[in-house]
């Protein structure tokens, strides 16, 4: 076979492809556990950021263990599970929002009319995080997620003990466009959530991400967050997901339970 024959060129190209694909798959498999553990640490870091207790350079796991107490609630009746109800899957340490929502044993389909966050299925249980100061709960951190333009966005909202004032807001996973929908990661925008109220004094859900900028002189400003410019669809998605999770179809029963004496 001549060294510049087509057959030889194709064989060499196939050989290079094969070697490269073996190298890439070996690296992907070999690094999977490191990637998973980094992803988990990033999630914990975001929980700490939402709770405003993250410190640059700190040991994330240690900070989490020292300040946060996680639990699982039954979304339907709003009751926390007691530790003796925990199982291998229903355990706050390993609770996986995505797999729970997919598992027909632990989730159900949402009525299309209720599914404003476009999540299709909802888990019967959800994890929550309490920020502790000595033995007192100072904040509650709740997972929120829903569809943006390109992706399902996963984040956390932290509420004050009054269960209506936002203390922090952050996304730890999304695939929106950097500079457009990706501005959900902009620290100034995230900080603009702090101090906003979710409910009015009658307990009505009022929080809203509006299309434009909030007018601070508007009495409704306390319930409003600026939309992201050039990212109307992501903005609508954030509005919908926050409103869904904090409504009676999401954490409403849990919030009611906490208000009626469940928050120690
Ligand atoms: C490459 C590209 C990426 C975009 N990424 C986003 C995005 O992440 N979020 C978003 O809401 N809109 C994004 N848009 C813009 C939307 O297509 C849409 O124009 C935008 O939401 C503004 O809507 P409006 O014209 O109704 O205000 C993107 C557009 C392009 C061309």
């Amino acid at each position: 076979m001549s060294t510049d024959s087509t057959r030889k060129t194709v064989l060499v190209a196939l050989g290079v492809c094969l070697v490269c694909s073996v190298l890439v798959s070996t690296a992907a498999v070999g690094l999977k556990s490191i990637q998973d553990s980094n992803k988990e640490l990033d999630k914990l870091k975001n929980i700490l950021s939402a709770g405003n207790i993250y410190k640059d350079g700190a040991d994330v796991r240690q900070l989490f263990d020292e300040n946060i107490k996680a639990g699982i609630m039954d979304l339907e009746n709003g009751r926390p599970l007691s530790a003796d109800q925990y199982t291998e899957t229903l355990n706050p340490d390993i609770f996986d929002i995505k797999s729970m929502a997919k598992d027909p044993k632990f989730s159900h389909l949402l009525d299309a009319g209720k599914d404003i966050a476009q999540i299709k299925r909802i888990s019967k249980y959800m994890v929550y995080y309490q920020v502790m100061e000595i033995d007192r709960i100072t904040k509650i951190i709740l997972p929120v997620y829903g569809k943006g333009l390109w992706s399902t966005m996963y984040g956390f909202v932290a509420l004050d003990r009054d269960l209506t004032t936002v203390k922090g807001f952050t996304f730890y996973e999304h695939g929106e466009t950097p500079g457009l929908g990706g501005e959900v990661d902009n620290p100034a925008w995230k900080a603009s959530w702090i101090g906003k109220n979710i409910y009015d004094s009658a307990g009505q859900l009022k929080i809203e991400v509006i299309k434009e900028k909030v007018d601070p002189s508007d009495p409704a400003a306390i319930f409003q967050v600026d939309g992201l410019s050039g990212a109307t669809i992501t903005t609508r998605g954030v509005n919908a997901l926050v409103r869904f999770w904090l409504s009676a179809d999401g954490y409403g029963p849990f919030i009611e339970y906490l208000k009626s004496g469940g928050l120690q």
Side-chain angles (χ1 to χ4, degrees):
M1 192 162 52
S2 111
T3 48
D4 52 1
S5 74
T6 310
R7 192 157 161 251
K8 190 161 185 191
T9 309
V10 170
L11 281 177
V12 168
L14 281 176
V16 170
C17 288
L18 190 70
V19 170
C20 290
S21 59
V22 168
L23 285 178
V24 170
S25 351
T26 313
V29 172
L31 295 175
K32 173 106 179 44
S33 62
I34 300 175
Q35 281 172 343
D36 287 349
S37 113
N38 283 345
K39 232 172 147 181
E40 179 62 16
L41 276 184
D42 187 58
K43 191 173 94 183
L44 300 188
K45 192 174 139 187
N46 272 277
I47 296 169
L48 294 167
S49 295
N52 200 19
I53 37 182
Y54 178 68
K55 296 181 200 116
D56 258 339
D59 180 326
V60 171
R61 173 62 68 184
Q62 191 186 349
L63 206 56
F64 185 89
D65 290 344
E66 283 169 1
N67 293 278
I68 308 274
K69 199 172 150 202
I72 293 180
M73 73 184 84
D74 178 325
L75 274 170
E76 215 162 293
N77 63 22
R79 296 299 166 111
L81 301 193
S82 56
D84 59 11
Q85 289 174 289
Y86 293 164
T87 63
E88 252 176 51
T89 339
L90 272 184
N91 188 313
D93 295 337
I94 48 136
F95 191 94
D96 181 26
I97 294 176
K98 289 182 192 171
S99 53
M100 290 300 274
K102 258 193 244 159
D103 189 336
K105 207 165 77 199
F106 291 109
S107 67
H108 60 84
L109 267 176
L110 266 171
D111 287 347
K114 287 186 174 177
D115 188 16
I116 55 170
Q118 297 180 59
I119 56 174
K120 294 195 179 83
R121 300 186 69 85
I122 186 166
S123 169
K124 292 178 192 156
Y125 303 95
M126 196 53 148
V127 65
Y128 62 93
Y129 304 92
Q130 302 170 129
V131 180
M132 308 299 295
E133 255 168 44
I134 313 179
D135 275 343
R136 190 169 176 268
I137 300 167
T138 56
K139 289 168 208 153
I140 298 278
I141 303 176
L142 301 168
V144 289
Y145 66 95
K147 195 91 168 60
L149 172 60
W150 309 112
S151 63
T152 300
M153 303 181 281
Y154 293 84
F156 296 105
V157 57
L159 300 183
D160 185 42
R161 267 184 76 83
D162 68 5
L163 300 165
T164 191
T165 309
V166 177
K167 288 296 211 178
F169 189 82
T170 177
F171 285 105
Y172 62 91
E173 188 182 320
H174 70 80
E176 303 300 285
T177 316
L180 295 169
E183 285 298 286
V184 291
D185 293 331
N186 184 321
W189 183 76
K190 291 196 285 187
S192 76
W193 282 80
I194 297 171
K196 298 294 174 179
N197 285 7
I198 303 285
Y199 308 101
D200 66 10
S201 53
Q204 290 294 313
L205 179 66
K206 284 289 173 109
I207 190 75
E208 198 186 359
V209 187
I210 62 171
K211 192 168 189 280
E212 314 291 335
K213 287 238 171 289
V214 176
D215 169 3
S217 67
D218 185 337
I222 189 82
F223 305 113
Q224 294 176 335
V225 174
D226 289 351
L228 301 163
S229 63
T232 306
I233 301 163
T234 307
T235 300
R236 278 197 210 125
V238 177
N239 180 54
L241 72 88
V242 167
R243 289 184 59 84
F244 172 78
W245 282 104
L246 291 153
S247 75
D249 297 322
Y251 299 121
F254 180 61
I255 304 253
E256 284 311 311
Y257 166 79
L258 294 180
K259 276 188 185 159
S260 61
L263 193 68
Q264 299 304 318

